[in-house]
Amino acid sequence: MKMRMIGLAVSALILGGAVAFSSATLAQSDDQTPQSSDPMQIARGAKAWSEYCGRCHNIRDPSERSGRSWSVVSKHMRVRANIPGATAKDIEAFLKSSSND
Amino acid sequence: MTLATPTFAQTIATPVKLEDHSERGVTMKGASALASDLLTRRDSEQAQGDLAGASSTDAENGAAPPAQTNDRIEVVLTGAVVADASYSGSDGTGSYFGGAQFLPILLVGYGDQLLVETHMEITTDSDGETETSLEYAQVNYLVNDWLTVVAGKFLSPIGQYQQALHAPWINKLPTAPAGFTEEGGASPMTETGLMVRGGFKIGAGTATYAAFVGNGPRLGELGPMLEGFGGDDNRNKAIGGRVSYLPTPDFEIGLSAMRARILGMPAMAGDVSQATYSLVGADFAYTGGYWDIRGEYLRSRLGEINSAKEPTDPMPTTIPRTKWEAWYGQVAYRLAGISSNKVIANFEPAIRYSRISVSGYSEFADVQEQRWSFGIAYWMKPAVVAKVAYEIADFPSAPSAKRLNLQLTFGF
């Protein structure tokens, strides 16, 4: 019974937190398509790409995929590796700038 | 006539290929030097006012593009194909080609904040049958820079091996560490429920977190089955998660914990009880230079419980309190650190010691093992690898086993 209450409480906390944060941040979200023409962002992304991606696996060649493909894959890795959003967007901008498009 | 040195902006506009930097050792670590080059050049040009001029020109032209929202659906297929072979002269199994595995991951992005991930495992067993399983299927809502909400069946965030290293195109060795496998292991594999996770900067370092609530494990014949079930047999939810800190990008230390109530396995007759299952763990990783050094420790316990030993038992049995301990330490080194030869540089030897011990209920203790693994990988591409490893496994109640494992993995 105690565990059930804890589970329900945690569920409520997760859902409540998500809703609260989403409503608070959606309007001002900076989760927008990276401006790949920004050389500063691309440079930051190149550095972060070498630092973050190699923590678990070999770094993948940016030319392996198209820019649109990297956009999805970089979000996948952002979630899996808990990469801060701003850093993930820098990496995405770099990968798209050097993609096979 | 002299050729002008390309500006940083011109350089950055040129697609980067890792092969262009093979003189750095035919290794992905060369990417770090590449990034440093780019940033150094940027700093230099900033000092010359090069970029400042470009920025003002852009502003005058109104070139700064407006923020765009992205509502496009994008579908990406990724994953791996794996072929295994094994030889043992000591345990009577001889040599065989293991079942091939097709491990597709389908990613569907919808705009900038929604991502669906599904991962299937399609394998052939020793009888020639094809087995299909769903490793995970999750919907991710990227709320902001440091919060993502996950719903569905997902990889357990406990520890580092399962969520970050178990993919065959990442794992340095052909096998998982002892105790970190599905059958009778001590490491949670998957969970079904809700999870929040993310990362954020703290000073010069980065902190990460993941917390979940899910249906939790069930009791099996080899111990708790630590996987995501599509239902809850006892209406008690499991909770758990992991926090980690990276003072530098190449060093991470993490702590994990999980707690659940487990229902005894039903017998033909008689009542079964519930018991508390708890787990704590710690892990670390150092990936500086050409080194990859990791370790992970998990300790879990299950209280006394009335349960069948197997589903056909006529009556439940009282199973005493049982404790599991599993850990591994692994060191790998990419030879690009000592040789610029394009062939030698792609080899990566690895050594791992892993162990699982069980105290309490004797029938759960059948999984006890300590294992040495000596392997070498040859990376043809960043995700295409041939691995060979010699393993010596010792069991408390069985003869030692020596085995040679080979694996070819194509990640895509």
Side-chain angles (χ1 to χ4, degrees):
Chain A
M1 188 64 184
K2 186 180 172 187
M3 286 300 295
R4 192 180 308 167
M5 293 300 292
I6 293 173
L8 287 173
V10 173
S11 300
L13 190 65
I14 289 174
L15 282 175
V19 170
F21 280 116
S22 65
S23 58
T25 57
L26 263 180
Q28 58 187 13
S29 171
D30 52 359
D31 263 326
Q32 290 152 351
T33 304
Q35 301 304 308
S36 56
S37 60
D38 179 356
M40 297 303 185
Q41 184 179 37
I42 293 171
R44 288 196 307 270
K47 186 170 186 295
W49 166 71
S50 68
E51 292 176 346
Y52 279 84
C53 304
R55 275 165 42 191
C56 297
H57 57 74
N58 287 332
I59 295 171
R60 304 292 284 265
D61 190 331
S63 67
E64 280 184 6
R65 296 182 180 277
S66 68
R68 289 165 66 173
S69 177
W70 278 126
S71 180
V72 177
V73 172
S74 60
K75 288 181 182 64
H76 165 62
M77 292 314 305
R78 168 180 165 180
V79 175
R80 177 65 61 84
N82 289 328
I83 300 172
T87 304
K89 286 170 222 161
D90 291 344
I91 294 172
E92 180 183 344
F94 165 70
L95 291 170
K96 290 169 85 169
S97 74
S98 297
S99 65
N100 63 16
D101 288 333
Chain B
M1 178 180 160
T2 57
L3 293 174
T5 302
T7 65
F8 169 74
Q10 288 168 331
T11 302
I12 208 74
T14 304
V16 176
K17 291 183 183 298
L18 289 177
E19 287 79 358
D20 296 341
H21 299 269
S22 57
E23 74 277 7
R24 298 182 195 277
V26 203
T27 170
M28 305 310 109
K29 299 292 183 184
S32 180
L34 165 64
S36 296
D37 286 352
L38 294 174
L39 289 176
T40 302
R41 183 170 295 183
R42 177 204 65 182
D43 293 342
S44 170
E45 292 179 6
Q46 275 183 322
Q48 297 166 17
D50 187 354
L51 283 177
S55 297
S56 61
T57 303
D58 288 347
E60 288 162 11
N61 295 339
Q68 297 173 359
T69 56
N70 172 14
D71 290 328
R72 193 156 38 187
I73 293 177
E74 302 284 358
V75 180
V76 174
L77 179 65
T78 179
V81 173
V82 185
D84 284 295
S86 185
Y87 171 77
S88 175
S90 63
D91 64 4
T93 56
S95 62
Y96 60 87
F97 290 103
Q101 302 174 63
F102 176 43
L103 310 170
I105 299 174
L106 188 68
L107 306 174
V108 182
Y110 184 81
D112 294 314
Q113 293 184 283
L114 282 173
L115 175 69
V116 173
E117 304 173 74
T118 59
H119 184 188
M120 301 286 293
E121 287 190 349
I122 303 169
T123 60
T124 52
D125 63 16
S126 57
D127 297 323
E129 299 293 325
T130 299
E131 294 181 350
T132 304
S133 63
L134 180 68
E135 184 164 75
Y136 60 79
Q138 62 188 72
V139 179
N140 308 299
Y141 178 38
L142 286 67
V143 179
N144 58 30
D145 274 359
W146 52 268
L147 172 66
T148 296
V149 179
V150 180
K153 184 179 182 183
F154 44 81
L155 292 177
S156 172
I158 301 294
Q160 65 172 317
Y161 180 80
Q162 177 60 10
Q163 66 172 332
L165 307 173
H166 84 287
W169 66 273
I170 297 175
N171 190 359
K172 309 287 186 190
L173 291 159
T175 57
F180 289 75
T181 53
E182 205 164 327
E183 296 291 325
S187 173
M189 300 279 113
T190 54
E191 187 57 80
T192 303
L194 286 171
M195 175 167 62
V196 291
R197 61 186 304 152
F200 49 89
K201 296 283 187 183
I202 295 183
T206 304
T208 80
Y209 70 94
F212 70 85
V213 55
N215 288 331
R218 293 184 182 180
L219 196 60
E221 295 173 33
L222 295 175
M225 296 186 288
L226 304 168
E227 56 190 281
F229 292 93
D232 191 355
D233 63 349
N234 63 356
R235 296 164 58 187
N236 275 306
K237 298 292 174 284
I239 56 173
R242 175 178 182 264
V243 293
S244 79
Y245 183 65
L246 296 90
T248 61
D250 54 15
F251 181 69
E252 178 176 21
I253 185 161
L255 297 172
S256 302
M258 176 178 169
R259 188 175 175 85
R261 292 280 288 174
I262 292 183
L263 181 68
M265 200 182 339
M268 304 296 284
D271 292 333
V272 296
S273 67
Q274 295 193 45
T276 298
Y277 171 85
S278 60
L279 175 150
V280 293
D283 59 85
F284 81 96
Y286 172 74
T287 53
Y290 298 91
W291 291 98
D292 189 298
I293 304 171
R294 299 175 184 275
E296 184 166 352
Y297 171 81
L298 296 173
R299 186 182 70 188
S300 59
R301 61 183 61 187
L302 175 67
E304 183 179 284
I305 186 170
N306 282 336
S307 172
K309 295 177 182 175
E310 51 188 60
T312 55
D313 280 356
M315 293 292 288
T317 305
T318 299
I319 294 175
R321 182 181 181 202
T322 306
K323 189 173 85 172
W324 290 260
E325 276 189 318
W327 67 274
Y328 70 84
Q330 175 179 300
V331 178
Y333 183 78
R334 186 71 173 258
L335 297 188
I338 56 172
S339 174
S340 58
N341 180 286
K342 286 188 175 182
V343 174
I344 294 174
N346 287 335
F347 280 101
E348 186 170 25
I351 298 175
R352 181 170 68 204
Y353 176 79
S354 54
R355 176 175 189 150
I356 178 170
S357 55
V358 183
S359 58
Y361 185 45
S362 60
E363 294 196 24
F364 289 165
D366 286 346
V367 300
Q368 290 190 105
E369 177 184 355
Q370 60 175 335
R371 189 196 308 165
W372 279 100
S373 306
F374 306 92
I376 188 162
Y378 181 76
W379 298 93
M380 291 166 266
K381 293 288 181 184
V384 180
V385 58
K387 295 178 264 186
V388 58
Y390 182 68
E391 296 193 323
I392 305 167
D394 292 316
F395 309 97
S397 54
S400 297
K402 295 170 182 169
R403 178 166 291 281
L404 186 68
N405 295 308
L406 299 92
Q407 185 181 75
L408 180 64
T409 299
F410 186 104
F412 58 89

